[in-house]
Amino acid sequence: MAQWLEDLSTLQVLLLVLGIVVGGSIAAAVLGAVLVRFGMRRPAVVERASLVAVKLLGLLKRPLTIVVLDEVAAVIQTGHYTKNISDAIIENHVEIKEMLAEKVRRDPNVKLVSRLPGYDTVVSEVTETTMRVLIDMLADPRTDELVSDLLRNNLEQIRLAVRERAHEDVAPHRPPDEIKHPAPVPGQRTKRRR
């Protein structure tokens, strides 16, 4: 039994300890709630176990978060995400082309243009060209490098914020900003400003 414990990595051991602590605290909370429900007082052992679990979680939360972020950063840097997006577009090429053509046809701003001869051919060729350029851009290593840098920089910023506890001063819930100029809805006429 001790062999499997020795084979675990540091992250796996931390997760195991965290799982035991969380499981124990949940069991203590459930047991305490059941006893209180039956009119009994919470046992001191259950109360102490809950307090110890909460304090231990408070101590382990930051280091564990940093370890997990480091692991996620290492994994993210090995991927080629733009290639995956490009492959998905190629795989769903026909459906995406049909969807784009459908959205263009439904757009209220192109009603007059849609009556011109050859309109469907133009939409088809523009859609095909756009998708070809998009696939080529996503397959380009420079785009992959851009996305990799973006993810790495964001993870570094998150890691730094966790280390400096910058997130603890943020209000838990902030209402969304008010939308001053909503996007036009297809089929709805907009008033012109003078």
Side-chain angles (χ1 to χ4, degrees):
M1 183 172 140
Q3 180 62 35
W4 71 271
L5 190 58
E6 291 175 10
D7 293 338
L8 296 177
S9 69
T10 307
L11 178 62
Q12 290 171 329
V13 170
L14 282 173
L15 289 174
L16 178 65
V17 169
L18 184 65
I20 291 170
V21 169
V22 169
S25 64
I26 289 172
V30 169
L31 180 63
V34 167
L35 292 175
V36 168
R37 181 90 168 148
F38 288 125
M40 298 181 197
R41 203 170 75 84
R42 272 179 88 178
V45 173
V46 171
E47 209 165 304
R48 284 191 188 123
S50 294
L51 290 175
V52 167
V54 167
K55 287 181 182 180
L56 192 58
L57 282 174
L59 290 174
L60 290 177
K61 184 171 58 172
R62 273 188 57 243
L64 189 62
T65 302
I66 291 170
V67 167
V68 170
L69 281 173
D70 289 342
E71 191 77 15
V72 168
V75 169
I76 281 180
Q77 289 176 2
T78 63
H80 299 283
Y81 304 103
T82 57
K83 174 85 171 91
N84 297 340
I85 296 168
S86 175
D87 291 345
I89 290 172
I90 291 170
E91 183 179 326
N92 298 294
H93 183 87
V94 174
E95 293 86 0
I96 293 172
K97 186 175 175 181
E98 289 172 359
M99 179 179 61
L100 285 170
E102 176 186 317
K103 297 298 180 188
V104 168
R105 282 187 202 102
R106 285 187 182 172
D107 192 315
N109 295 331
V110 294
K111 284 187 180 181
L112 180 64
V113 177
S114 66
R115 294 188 182 126
L116 293 174
Y119 169 76
D120 288 332
T121 306
V122 170
V123 168
S124 177
E125 288 302 315
V126 167
T127 303
E128 190 67 39
T129 303
T130 303
M131 288 183 57
R132 200 170 38 250
V133 168
L134 180 62
I135 290 168
D136 286 346
M137 283 179 60
L138 290 170
D140 192 310
R142 294 174 291 185
T143 306
D144 202 36
E145 180 66 26
L146 171 74
V147 171
S148 180
D149 289 346
L150 176 105
L151 291 172
R152 186 184 65 247
N153 292 341
N154 282 338
L155 275 170
E156 187 59 37
Q157 185 179 1
I158 291 169
R159 190 181 306 135
L160 188 64
V162 169
R163 282 195 175 112
E164 293 177 355
R165 298 179 182 254
H167 63 287
E168 293 175 358
D169 297 333
V170 177
H173 178 68
R174 198 175 70 193
D177 295 337
E178 183 181 326
I179 298 174
K180 296 180 180 167
H181 301 288
V185 177
Q188 184 181 46
R189 292 189 174 196
T190 56
K191 295 179 183 176
R192 291 187 179 187
R193 294 183 182 180
R194 295 184 189 210

